[in-house]
Amino acid sequence: MRLLLVEDDDHVAAALSAILARHGFRVTHARNGEEALQALLPAGAPPFGVVLLDLGLPDQDGYEVCGKIRKRTATPVIMVTARADVRSRIHGLNMGADDYVTKPYDTGELLARIHAVARRAGASEEAAATGTGTPAVVRLGTVSIELPTRRVSVDGADVPLTRKEFDLLALLAQQPGVVFRREQIISEVWRTSWEGTGRTLEVHVASLRSKLRMPALIETVRGVGYRLVAPAAP
Ligand code: CA
């Protein structure tokens, strides 16, 4: 797998590149945001499987670089940073990062996370290519969810959702009637297993219930999680 390592510290980059190479990665090293964005450009080259993005870069804000990468490619991004505080982490995930690793990290953990995001990206690409998985439009009573365009409408009228609200609804809509565990939802939608998400999930569920004007659509399964309840045909 090709991996783009964005790291301005040459010593860190050399040590990490050696470890990654031993585990079968073909590493391209970029020393700043500009080099990283340039490295992603060439057409024809096999795409990167993962970008490891150090946030403390000399030329550009790492979060902005992440946003620019996300506009150009669907390649998963793992942010690597010394900033461990909650707000930095949430900001990173909101900027489109797929995961977030705090320095100093355990190499084994880093490798596991790289494999996990690459696997998720591969699985969704495969589903898109083969047309398997969830249909492009899911209809639940008056609610229509267009997955490719991320549009949601109720009775034909568009309902603007935030990015995470849509991700949450789309996840539940993959299997209406099936209970999704809380941890599973947080892991898939917020790309974290981390406990500090507090009441984020509850807040998003409440907001969806109200925006879709169907409080009963998302059922709380106490102590477990949530599921979509397909409304009975009128
Ligand atoms: Ca740095």
Side-chain angles (χ1 to χ4, degrees), residues 35-112:
E35 278 186 24
L37 295 168
Q38 289 297 331
L40 286 165
L41 277 182
F48 289 103
V50 172
V51 179
L52 266 189
L53 174 65
D54 177 41
L55 283 187
L57 294 171
D59 63 332
Q60 297 183 44
D61 178 70
Y63 293 110
E64 273 172 36
V65 175
C66 180
K68 288 179 189 167
I69 292 173
R70 191 42 75 243
K71 285 204 183 88
R72 293 179 190 197
T73 161
T75 302
V77 177
I78 300 178
M79 285 184 170
V80 182
T81 175
R83 299 175 221 177
D85 65 284
V86 171
R87 285 178 57 190
S88 304
R89 191 162 180 144
I90 290 173
H91 185 47
L93 296 169
N94 282 339
M95 290 305 282
D98 293 82
D99 207 344
Y100 198 106
V101 176
T102 307
K103 289 177 182 173
Y105 47 78
D106 174 77
T107 314
E109 187 198 352
L110 180 66
L111 287 166

Side-chain angles (χ1 to χ4, degrees), residues 147-166:
L147 298 172
T149 56
R150 299 177 67 87
R151 276 183 62 212
V152 173
S153 56
V154 177
D155 279 331
D158 279 352
V159 177
L161 298 184
T162 67
R163 182 182 160 131
K164 292 300 176 196
E165 284 166 0
F166 181 88

Side-chain angles (χ1 to χ4, degrees), residues 28-224:
T28 299
H29 176 208
R31 287 178 182 78
N32 54 50
E34 195 48 47
E35 278 186 24
L37 295 168
Q38 289 297 331
L40 286 165
L41 277 182
F48 289 103
V50 172
V51 179
L52 266 189
L53 174 65
D54 177 41
L55 283 187
L57 294 171
D59 63 332
Q60 297 183 44
D61 178 70
Y63 293 110
E64 273 172 36
V65 175
C66 180
K68 288 179 189 167
I69 292 173
R70 191 42 75 243
K71 285 204 183 88
R72 293 179 190 197
T73 161
T75 302
V77 177
I78 300 178
M79 285 184 170
V80 182
T81 175
R83 299 175 221 177
D85 65 284
V86 171
R87 285 178 57 190
S88 304
R89 191 162 180 144
I90 290 173
H91 185 47
L93 296 169
N94 282 339
M95 290 305 282
D98 293 82
D99 207 344
Y100 198 106
V101 176
T102 307
K103 289 177 182 173
Y105 47 78
D106 174 77
T107 314
E109 187 198 352
L110 180 66
L111 287 166
R113 284 174 183 252
I114 291 171
H115 284 298
V117 296
R119 203 166 45 234
R120 281 199 300 248
S124 55
E125 242 169 55
E126 196 177 309
T130 57
T132 55
T134 318
V137 181
V138 179
R139 289 194 180 80
L140 297 157
T142 55
V143 179
S144 169
I145 308 163
E146 285 183 28
L147 298 172
T149 56
R150 299 177 67 87
R151 276 183 62 212
V152 173
S153 56
V154 177
D155 279 331
D158 279 352
V159 177
L161 298 184
T162 67
R163 182 182 160 131
K164 292 300 176 196
E165 284 166 0
F166 181 88
D167 290 345
L168 170 58
L169 182 64
L171 174 69
L172 297 175
Q174 282 175 13
Q175 289 171 294
V178 171
V179 180
F180 286 77
R181 284 177 300 106
R182 222 179 161 277
E183 309 83 69
Q184 184 187 358
I185 297 171
I186 288 171
S187 146
E188 302 242 344
V189 174
W190 281 271
R191 299 290 194 223
T192 176
S193 56
W194 163 71
E195 301 292 318
T197 42
R199 289 186 40 82
T200 306
L201 176 56
E202 285 71 18
V203 170
H204 280 72
V205 168
S207 170
L208 274 176
R209 283 173 175 153
S210 128
K211 283 187 178 179
L212 300 174
R213 287 178 276 126
M214 286 178 73
L217 181 67
I218 302 174
E219 185 185 70
T220 305
V221 182
R222 235 165 253 300
V224 184

